Amino acid sequence: MAGDPKHNNQLEQFILLAKNTKGPALITLIKQLLEAPGVYVFGEFLELPCIQQMSKGPNEGYSQLLNMFAYGTYHDYKAFKDTLPPLTETQKNKLRHLTIVNLAANMQVIPYSVLLKDLEVGSVRELEDLVIEAVYADVIRGKLDQCRQQLEVDACIGRDIRSQGMGRIASILTQWCGDCESMSASIEQEVGRVSHCRESHLKALQHIETEVGNIRRMMSATTSMSSQDMDPLGEQEGEGAMAGSGAERRQTPLQIISKAKSLNNQRH
């Protein structure tokens, strides 16, 4: 916007020149400042000792004119134009640009009717040309809606502020800080809630994994038992063989001799 370093440097050049200038040369410098493209803030220039002294002398009108560009509007100038120096066409348009900024700071959508009244231009075409100039001067950002006859504002530069308005700004900033603190507390509360939900989710997940492991072990044990139930005969034969072997191992010596004699008789 118009408050970028390039335009600030331009204002600083005028300030440096004014410190070593007085009389008619200072008045000429003020006129040049009011016409300089890109310079739309004047508070720092107004604080210069030479300008403060001018407000009490015969050239008081130029000090008042600077105040008009710093804080006022084109409508204000028209109301006091008989006591103020005349403006060139370039200066009039700059003051009109500042008037648009004044409106844009308070209205996001500005009807053509309001602009025509406050800028005191004779036609819609002239009004639209003036708004386009302000956009190219980078003092406002927005677009003209010719169908609805309105200016839709996206952003605008900040103007100089009187010392009396500092209290209101401080109040707004205090409220803004309070809102930020409330928002921060809400965010922290939400973070805590999310962390609690995450912990609960992890615990539930661990419980599910444990249950799945238990079910798998139960299924494995059931499968093993089913396999044994499907082969009872083999087990019985094995058990019989083992029982026979055991019976043979339990025979007495007399029984063994008797069995041997019997086998020998059968051979003869």
Side-chain angles (χ1 to χ4, degrees):
M1 303 293 282
D4 62 21
K6 175 183 175 182
H7 297 128
N8 290 338
N9 291 337
Q10 194 172 358
L11 176 61
E12 288 175 3
Q13 292 175 6
F14 279 100
I15 292 172
L16 290 173
L17 290 171
K19 288 179 178 180
N20 300 314
T21 307
K22 57 183 179 180
L26 183 58
I27 293 174
T28 301
L29 186 65
I30 291 172
K31 291 179 180 178
Q32 292 173 353
L33 174 65
L34 297 180
E35 288 191 353
V39 180
Y40 285 90
V41 290
F42 307 91
E44 193 174 354
F45 193 86
L46 278 166
E47 291 175 358
L48 292 173
C50 58
I51 302 300
Q52 295 291 323
Q53 292 173 5
M54 180 182 286
S55 63
K56 301 174 184 178
N59 295 318
E60 177 186 0
Y62 284 97
S63 175
Q64 293 177 354
L65 187 61
L66 277 169
N67 275 277
M68 191 66 65
F69 272 76
Y71 313 114
T73 64
Y74 186 74
H75 184 74
D76 296 332
Y77 171 79
K78 294 287 285 187
F80 295 97
K81 68 175 184 178
D82 293 337
T83 61
L84 296 172
L87 297 178
T88 65
E89 205 59 37
T90 301
Q91 291 169 349
K92 286 181 182 179
N93 285 341
K94 178 180 276 195
L95 191 53
R96 286 187 174 115
H97 293 168
L98 289 166
T99 303
I100 296 173
V101 171
N102 221 53
L103 292 169
N106 299 288
M107 303 172 67
Q108 191 171 0
V109 177
I110 311 173
Y112 275 20
S113 57
V114 174
L115 291 166
L116 286 167
K117 178 183 177 183
D118 285 21
L119 301 179
E120 298 187 27
V121 292
S123 66
V124 171
R125 176 60 183 275
E126 187 179 353
L127 169 64
E128 290 177 344
D129 288 343
L130 195 60
V131 172
I132 291 170
E133 285 180 10
V135 171
Y136 276 106
D138 206 22
V139 295
I140 64 166
R141 291 177 185 168
K143 62 181 179 179
L144 291 168
D145 189 335
Q146 295 176 319
C147 295
R148 293 186 175 88
Q149 297 282 285
Q150 63 189 21
L151 168 63
E152 298 175 0
V153 179
D154 294 328
C156 66
I157 63 169
R159 294 195 65 185
D160 293 297
I161 301 171
R162 296 180 186 273
S163 57
Q164 297 89 328
M166 291 299 180
R168 179 173 175 271
I169 293 176
S171 176
I172 292 172
L173 290 174
T174 300
Q175 183 179 355
W176 179 77
C177 289
D179 292 341
C180 288
E181 289 177 357
S182 299
M183 182 63 68
S184 178
S186 298
I187 291 172
E188 289 180 0
Q189 184 177 0
E190 188 67 16
V191 169
R193 188 186 68 81
V194 170
S195 297
H196 177 72
C197 290
R198 182 175 179 274
E199 290 177 1
S200 299
H201 174 74
L202 290 175
K203 288 180 180 179
L205 186 61
Q206 290 174 356
H207 177 71
I208 291 171
E209 290 176 350
T210 302
E211 289 296 319
V212 169
N214 292 337
I215 292 170
R216 285 177 176 171
R217 285 192 291 272
M218 291 174 62
M219 291 178 65
S220 178
T222 303
T223 302
S224 177
M225 292 176 64
S226 299
S227 299
Q228 293 177 3
D229 292 341
M230 290 176 64
D231 192 18
L233 183 59
E235 292 180 358
Q236 290 177 0
E237 291 176 348
E239 290 176 357
M242 291 176 66
S245 300
E248 291 179 355
R249 285 196 296 269
R250 288 196 297 273
Q251 288 180 349
T252 62
L254 292 174
Q255 289 174 331
I256 295 171
I257 294 169
S258 176
K259 187 174 181 181
K261 289 180 178 180
S262 176
L263 290 172
N264 187 35
N265 293 334
Q266 289 177 3
R267 289 176 183 174
H268 292 289

